[in-house]
Amino acid sequence: MSGPIVALTGGVGGAKLARGLVARLAPEDLHFVVNVGDDFEHLGLHVSPDLDTLLYTLSGESDTERGWGRRGESWQFLDALRGYDGPDWFALGDRDLATHVLRTHALAEGARLTEVTARLATALGVRHAMLPVTDDPLRTVIETGGEALPFQHYFVRERCAPAVTGFRFDGAERARCTPEVRAALADPDLAGVVLCPSNPFVSIDPILAVAELRAALAACAAPIIAVSPIIGGDAVKGPTAKMMDELGVPRSAAGVAGHYGARSGGGLLDGFVLDATDAALQQDLETTGLAVRVEQTLMRDLDDRIALADAVLAFLASLRTS
Amino acid sequence: MSGPIVALTGGVGGAKLARGLVARLAPEDLHFVVNVGDDFEHLGLHVSPDLDTLLYTLSGESDTERGWGRRGESWQFLDALRGYDGPDWFALGDRDLATHVLRTHALAEGARLTEVTARLATALGVRHAMLPVTDDPLRTVIETGGEALPFQHYFVRERCAPAVTGFRFDGAERARCTPEVRAALADPDLAGVVLCPSNPFVSIDPILAVAELRAALAACAAPIIAVSPIIGGDAVKGPTAKMMDELGVPRSAAGVAGHYGARSGGGLLDGFVLDATDAALQQDLETTGLAVRVEQTLMRDLDDRIALADAVLAFLASLRTS
């Protein structure tokens, strides 16, 4: 490698590529900048779903069968909570609770979210930097025409049922990047930035809503690419495709590419990774000013993740020399 | 019954008699005033061990095999906590955690401990009032000659090993009784007060350390009795006997009676319940001004608990007419 990579990521989809990247890059060559827009307070506990998904994925603690949470999880706390008529719509597992209790306690004692995250990650053997984009409050709110919903209420309690009309990122205008994120993006050796295949609206956009982060990306000399979370007009997981329909964004990889935009047209990206299923879109996307690479982007196992990571790194290398 | 009873109690030993009393008295005829001196903050959670022991005992939720905590308990949280190198000296069970998380959250939202306790108790079907002696901070500190230890550090982390030289009840001088406790003791129909067979030094004394409570007892016309937690020179459970040795208090039921003192001699009690094993002490105790009743006080099962409750109620009735 010529220098470190920064990967912007949300939860499950992004974490899969993240897992591939850590298999290829040393800790000093890879920094994750992670969405905190879906963080929330539940029963007084600070829950950071995307940080936790990344933590559990990178440490081998994730439940790959269920697709979220920790492996070997149990639900005795939740059962006892129901015995008290407590709110059970957000499934806090017994093992997962250790993460939230320790995080909440450390934050209350004055630690930054970045510091707490580093402690938890180190304890579970994760050596690559998992950096919340900001230590300031930043909360994604889903606008639905009717009631505006905090992200987890929309995502978990309402199971993404309400039609989305827009998004708000409360706190974004006051949120600063962390010093760690700032340093990672200001590194003169930075070899590239990759937007992982996470939901553009609620996983990546809250990161980009931090003005300082957005400005750092605009100023960075390294290539910036995104991997499409849409394959063949559908999302692998989650409400991305449904949201695109509701927002009137074309439900395709091209819709995602258009959402981020090409740098040459005032947007964010130098390059875009399409799934082979969507190879037909390549030419159209190239006319928008994007370099396009067609790959197998569906990640069913670790080999897929590493292969896609290799492709991403090769794409960035090619963009640096072009 | 001629009127309601107030029972002062700490954890395990007191809760056994409490269980007997609820079998005999309607909710309007029985109020528990509970020690909060061993409450503490652990990982940011407000833990109230004596309230919880009483709650679990009265609701049938207690683990009678292990002797503490909830039945059907599991330890996944604790195991995950160890995975983070978190503090595991205090065993927080997965089911027990629901109690602490809900309590902590409600307190943070401004509820009084009395209110939170009532909500938890109601949800578990407990109909008798479980009243913390105070909603103010009151913390038992164990003086050891060397380092002074918060109660749970002494009791759980150090397993009662350090020799005790004395006790401090931090916050007692500023702590007020709750309105509920004040009303219970001011009831003109009050038929009696019983000090349950809990540790006098660290379960009952923190309650008595609240000046307003102590004054209310001194002023109350109803008889006040205690049930000895010492049988045949030993405690049924816990460090009571060890503490008596270390403090130079005679390790006997007479030592306990002397600790509380007879009302006629400026102390607290009108009567004292001795175990049959200690019947020989009766005459000496009577010379100190106490009415004495000899009973089977070891409570192995529910029948024992109810039988002792009956004896306590009969004793109080006899003292009211004497």
Side-chain angles (χ1 to χ4, degrees):
Chain A
M1 285 299 305
S2 59
I5 298 287
V6 167
L8 276 52
T9 184
V12 179
K16 286 180 182 172
L17 178 55
R19 179 65 189 85
L21 289 168
V22 304
R24 286 302 192 229
L25 297 174
E28 61 272 23
D29 285 332
L30 177 60
H31 306 282
F32 295 107
V33 175
V34 187
N35 175 38
V36 293
D38 50 5
D39 283 25
F40 77 128
E41 296 272 330
H42 186 56
L43 295 170
L45 299 172
H46 183 108
V47 181
S48 295
D50 283 356
L51 284 168
D52 291 346
T53 297
L54 187 61
L55 173 63
Y56 298 155
T57 301
L58 297 187
S59 62
E61 272 288 321
S62 59
D63 188 313
T64 51
E65 289 280 308
R66 194 175 51 237
W68 58 272
R70 299 187 72 156
R71 68 184 161 80
E73 190 56 284
S74 57
W75 311 95
Q76 286 256 74
F77 169 85
L78 200 65
D79 185 68
L81 196 67
R82 287 192 187 109
Y84 286 123
D85 306 316
D88 64 352
W89 62 269
F90 191 86
L92 289 169
D94 300 327
R95 300 187 67 79
D96 191 34
L97 257 180
T99 311
H100 310 314
V101 167
L102 282 174
R103 175 193 293 122
T104 304
H105 184 48
L107 290 173
E109 292 204 321
R112 296 185 297 128
L113 182 59
T114 300
E115 294 163 341
V116 183
T117 304
R119 274 182 231 165
L120 297 173
T122 299
L124 294 193
V126 174
R127 296 167 57 229
H128 295 76
M130 294 174 37
L131 306 175
V133 59
T134 180
D135 289 323
D136 299 323
L138 173 64
R139 296 291 177 267
T140 299
V141 175
I142 309 292
E143 293 172 339
T144 66
E147 189 192 7
L149 296 168
F151 180 75
Q152 294 300 335
H153 287 206
Y154 162 81
F155 189 67
V156 179
R157 207 178 60 186
E158 306 294 330
R159 295 160 198 259
C160 308
V164 171
T165 59
F167 307 95
R168 225 171 60 212
F169 305 111
D170 285 358
E173 66 288 350
R174 287 179 308 280
R176 301 287 314 271
C177 275
T178 67
E180 291 82 357
V181 168
R182 208 175 296 135
L185 288 171
D187 186 337
D189 293 330
L190 185 67
V193 175
V194 54
L195 278 54
C196 289
S198 293
N199 186 310
F201 310 108
V202 295
S203 292
I204 302 297
D205 278 0
I207 300 176
L208 301 176
V210 177
E212 203 180 1
L213 184 290
R214 184 84 195 207
L217 290 180
C220 106
I224 303 177
I225 66 170
V227 177
S228 179
I230 295 284
I231 298 177
D234 231 327
V236 178
K237 191 168 186 298
T240 310
K242 176 174 181 286
M243 285 179 174
M244 296 177 91
D245 284 346
E246 291 163 356
L247 295 165
V249 175
R251 174 143 62 88
S252 69
V256 176
H259 178 73
Y260 293 134
R263 239 193 223 202
S264 54
L268 185 66
L269 301 181
D270 299 293
F272 195 78
V273 179
L274 275 181
D275 188 75
T277 312
D278 298 314
L281 299 172
Q282 178 166 9
Q283 230 172 347
D284 274 0
L285 282 186
E286 285 173 347
T287 64
T288 70
L290 288 170
V292 175
R293 187 158 177 138
V294 178
E295 296 290 342
Q296 163 64 43
T297 68
L298 188 64
M299 294 171 280
R300 272 163 296 217
D301 57 24
L302 183 57
D303 285 345
D304 289 346
R305 297 172 186 195
I306 294 174
L308 185 56
D310 283 336
V312 159
L313 296 176
F315 192 18
L316 287 173
S318 74
L319 292 171
R320 284 197 302 275
T321 55
S322 66
Chain B
M1 284 301 306
S2 58
I5 297 288
V6 167
L8 276 53
T9 182
V12 179
K16 287 181 182 172
L17 177 56
R19 179 65 189 83
L21 289 167
V22 303
R24 286 301 192 230
L25 297 173
E28 61 271 21
D29 285 332
L30 177 60
H31 305 283
F32 295 107
V33 174
V34 186
N35 175 38
V36 292
D38 51 4
D39 283 24
F40 76 127
E41 296 272 329
H42 185 56
L43 295 168
L45 300 171
H46 183 110
V47 181
S48 295
D50 282 357
L51 284 168
D52 291 345
T53 297
L54 187 62
L55 172 63
Y56 298 154
T57 301
L58 297 186
S59 63
E61 271 289 321
S62 59
D63 187 313
T64 50
E65 288 280 308
R66 195 174 51 237
W68 57 273
R70 298 186 74 156
R71 68 185 162 78
E73 190 56 283
S74 57
W75 310 96
Q76 286 257 75
F77 169 84
L78 200 65
D79 185 66
L81 196 67
R82 287 192 188 109
Y84 286 123
D85 306 317
D88 65 352
W89 61 269
F90 191 85
L92 288 168
D94 300 327
R95 301 186 67 81
D96 190 35
L97 257 180
T99 311
H100 309 314
V101 168
L102 283 173
R103 175 193 293 123
T104 304
H105 183 48
L107 291 173
E109 292 203 322
R112 297 185 297 128
L113 183 60
T114 300
E115 294 163 341
V116 184
T117 304
R119 275 183 229 165
L120 297 173
T122 300
L124 294 192
V126 174
R127 296 168 57 228
H128 294 75
M130 293 173 38
L131 306 175
V133 59
T134 181
D135 288 322
D136 300 322
L138 172 64
R139 297 291 177 267
T140 300
V141 175
I142 309 291
E143 294 172 339
T144 66
E147 189 191 5
L149 296 169
F151 180 74
Q152 295 298 336
H153 287 206
Y154 162 81
F155 189 66
V156 179
R157 205 178 62 185
E158 306 294 330
R159 296 159 197 258
C160 307
V164 171
T165 59
F167 307 95
R168 225 169 60 210
F169 305 111
D170 286 358
E173 66 289 349
R174 288 179 307 280
R176 301 287 312 269
C177 274
T178 66
E180 291 82 357
V181 168
R182 209 175 295 135
L185 288 171
D187 187 337
D189 293 331
L190 186 67
V193 175
V194 54
L195 279 54
C196 289
S198 293
N199 185 310
F201 310 108
V202 294
S203 294
I204 302 298
D205 278 359
I207 300 177
L208 302 176
V210 178
E212 204 180 0
L213 184 291
R214 184 84 195 208
L217 289 181
C220 106
I224 302 176
I225 66 169
V227 177
S228 179
I230 295 284
I231 299 177
D234 229 328
V236 178
K237 195 170 183 296
T240 310
K242 176 174 180 287
M243 284 180 174
M244 295 177 91
D245 284 345
E246 291 162 357
L247 295 164
V249 176
R251 174 143 63 87
S252 69
V256 176
H259 178 73
Y260 292 133
R263 237 191 223 203
S264 55
L268 184 66
L269 301 179
D270 299 294
F272 196 79
V273 179
L274 275 183
D275 189 75
T277 311
D278 298 314
L281 299 172
Q282 178 166 7
Q283 227 171 350
D284 274 0
L285 283 186
E286 284 172 346
T287 64
T288 70
L290 288 170
V292 175
R293 187 157 176 138
V294 177
E295 295 290 342
Q296 164 65 43
T297 67
L298 188 64
M299 293 172 280
R300 271 162 296 215
D301 57 25
L302 182 57
D303 286 345
D304 289 346
R305 297 172 186 195
I306 294 174
L308 185 56
D310 283 336
V312 159
L313 296 176
F315 191 18
L316 286 174
S318 75
L319 291 173
R320 284 197 302 276
T321 55
S322 67

